[in-house]
Amino acid sequence: MVTFRTGVEGDYDEVNQLVQRAFLNDTEGREWAEERALFEPDRSVLAVDGDQVVGHVGTFTRDLTVPGGVLAAGFVTVVAVAGTHRRRGLASAMLTRQLREIRDRGEALALLWASEAGIYGRYGYGLASRRLRFEIDRREVRIDGSRFDKSRLDGLRLRAAPAAVHRAQVAEVYERVRPSRPGFASRDDRWWDYRLADQAWHRGGAGPLQAVVCFDGDTPVGYALYRFRSNWNDSGPNGEVGVMETVAATPAAYTMLWDFLLNVDLTRTVGMWLGAIDEPLQYLVNDVRRLGMGMGDGLWARLLDVPAALGGRRYAAEVDVVLEVVDELLPGCGGVFRLRGGPDHATCEPTTDAADLRLDTSTLAAVYLGGNSLGSLAAAGRVEELRPGGVATTAPAFTWTRAPHALEIF
């Protein structure tokens, strides 16, 4: 008989084995110190058959930047069910219990990366951000001087070294930028240990993790994390730069970092898997087609406290709207709410007033970070307009200056 329980500290090894098998990973020669340090057993839900762990869902405690604010959130991770116990409702039971526990902790929303995108809509998650993949032919791409005055780079300088050397500067830049970029998550020392971990199996055949930091005087104003992959063919050098993340506090720093990444000797391609959907590089180069872009899904979000979530962000335009939010999985999370907000204020409270718009919780999650258009979702039949013109007057408010961008998979 399968039972469910909260995790304890000694569960890590068995949980890790379950997850690695579920994700088809080869664990030979791997060490798990950085991952183990992130494990929060009291936020894990385990399915147990006798003395065997056959299912797991976990949560990380972190803050998330939302448009105009920062909120505590539950970061959902390592969702797995043993192949011997599939199709028994274990995942559904664990994920539903987890959502209730996140809500009861006072966190307004849950977030995850979906290994199977078709799963999570049934639990009220909506696709809240997207990512761009780049496969750049660097011999054909350069920063276009007609689009960016390179004299603005005067006074800036770069330093490149193994990532661990620049840990303090990288963290300083990240913390400066994080409060203003929806989708960024808090990183304490444990998370920096994990992000900068450089075990051989992290490298995927590439070289050690590197950092290039842009300085304005003595102040770090941008960085990129990357790896080199050396390769040669009959035509000569054919190396690759694999970019893990770029973060910059100024346009000049961003441009200088990319100018460096696009001009590494003995390389022919530059790849980045987790680029922002509004990545500025698209508007800086001479030939956008040579960026080799492809789009994928990013963060999935699930609102658990509608007043706290909507009141905790800001809005690109003034809005006063009554929303009927339908939550079939957790009816207590739904209801009718009046949202009033703007660029520097927001309140959201239950109301008995007639609703202007009706939408389910996954649709509300999809627009929450500003990454999707309320009008597009209405055109897909995902928003019911109960007051004529309600979509047109509400949609502009849910946009934001920058698209949400999730830099890391957790």
Side-chain angles (χ1 to χ4, degrees):
M1 176 179 175
V2 176
T3 59
F4 301 93
R5 66 171 173 82
T6 301
V8 297
E9 193 67 40
D11 286 326
Y12 177 79
D13 288 333
E14 193 169 358
V15 166
N16 187 46
Q17 291 170 15
L18 168 72
V19 172
Q20 300 310 320
R21 286 194 299 270
F23 282 85
L24 312 180
N25 291 332
D26 179 7
T27 61
E28 185 177 355
R30 295 189 175 190
E31 298 178 1
W32 307 99
E34 293 86 8
E35 288 82 355
R36 185 187 297 272
L38 298 176
F39 183 54
E40 298 186 43
D42 62 324
R43 303 207 66 181
S44 289
V45 179
L46 279 65
V48 182
D49 189 351
D51 61 355
Q52 180 187 9
V53 175
V54 296
H56 175 269
V57 298
T59 310
F60 294 132
T61 305
R62 305 178 75 181
D63 293 337
L64 175 76
T65 302
V66 301
V70 176
L71 293 178
F75 285 64
V76 175
T77 187
V78 288
V79 178
V81 173
T84 54
H85 288 68
R86 297 174 66 249
R87 301 291 186 261
R88 300 190 192 182
L90 272 62
S92 181
M94 291 187 296
L95 287 165
T96 303
R97 171 171 164 169
Q98 179 191 50
L99 288 173
R100 291 194 176 100
E101 291 180 354
I102 292 172
R103 178 192 61 191
D104 292 346
R105 283 178 64 103
E107 294 165 337
L109 69 160
L111 304 154
L112 57 77
W113 286 84
S115 57
E116 298 281 356
I119 294 175
Y120 291 98
R122 73 189 73 158
Y123 302 104
Y125 286 90
L127 178 56
S129 77
R130 289 178 171 79
R131 60 177 175 84
L132 282 184
R133 181 185 70 255
F134 293 86
E135 293 291 338
I136 304 169
D137 181 350
R138 79 156 191 87
R139 292 169 295 180
E140 301 292 335
V141 173
R142 66 181 184 278
I143 301 298
D144 187 344
S146 68
R147 302 184 185 189
F148 188 91
D149 181 1
K150 287 193 175 184
S151 68
R152 294 169 64 184
L153 308 184
D154 293 346
L156 301 182
R157 58 190 174 89
L158 298 177
R159 287 184 180 174
V165 174
H166 285 311
R167 174 173 171 147
Q169 292 79 21
V170 166
E172 180 181 338
V173 172
Y174 183 83
E175 282 304 306
R176 186 178 306 140
V177 174
R178 177 172 70 90
S180 64
R181 189 62 191 260
F184 276 24
S186 57
R187 291 178 179 173
D188 60 16
D189 283 342
R190 296 171 309 130
W191 280 98
W192 280 113
D193 289 343
Y194 174 72
R195 191 59 172 160
L196 301 181
D198 201 24
Q199 297 180 37
W201 64 271
H202 288 143
R203 299 175 183 176
L209 184 63
Q210 305 291 314
V212 57
V213 179
C214 182
F215 290 85
D216 185 352
D218 294 328
T219 302
V221 291
Y223 71 86
L225 300 177
Y226 62 97
R227 300 182 190 275
F228 297 127
R229 187 187 303 273
S230 178
N231 191 26
W232 296 76
N233 58 28
D234 291 341
S235 300
N238 193 38
E240 178 185 350
V241 179
V243 181
M244 193 158 76
E245 65 184 50
T246 58
V247 177
T250 67
Y254 179 91
T255 303
M256 194 169 195
L257 290 167
W258 272 105
D259 194 46
F260 170 85
L261 295 167
L262 293 171
N263 287 284
V264 177
D265 290 341
L266 305 183
T267 66
R268 296 294 180 263
T269 59
V270 180
M272 183 167 65
W273 195 65
L274 293 177
I277 197 71
D278 61 350
E279 197 70 50
L281 183 65
Q282 302 169 76
Y283 313 108
L284 283 172
V285 297
N286 61 310
D287 189 345
V288 67
R289 291 183 180 178
R290 300 290 185 170
L291 294 178
M293 293 184 293
M295 188 173 69
D297 56 303
L299 281 179
W300 292 70
R302 209 289 185 197
L303 273 61
L304 295 164
D305 184 335
V306 172
L310 293 185
R313 64 157 287 179
R314 298 297 177 258
Y315 298 86
E318 294 292 328
V319 63
D320 184 349
V321 63
V322 177
L323 303 173
E324 181 182 345
V325 181
V326 179
D327 194 330
E328 294 183 354
L329 183 68
L330 301 174
C333 292
V336 181
F337 309 93
R338 178 175 287 279
L339 168 65
R340 294 185 176 97
D344 59 1
H345 67 103
T347 60
C348 184
E349 298 174 342
T351 183
T352 58
D353 294 343
D356 300 311
L357 303 173
R358 180 184 293 127
L359 67 173
D360 66 18
T361 187
S362 65
T363 303
L364 183 58
V367 300
Y368 178 69
L369 292 179
N372 295 296
S373 162
L374 186 72
S376 293
L377 287 156
R382 298 279 300 274
V383 181
E384 184 179 355
E385 192 173 63
L386 305 176
R387 173 180 60 80
V391 170
T393 57
T394 304
F398 276 90
T399 62
W400 199 244
T401 308
R402 296 295 305 274
H405 178 31
L407 279 174
E408 63 190 86
I409 295 176
F410 47 85

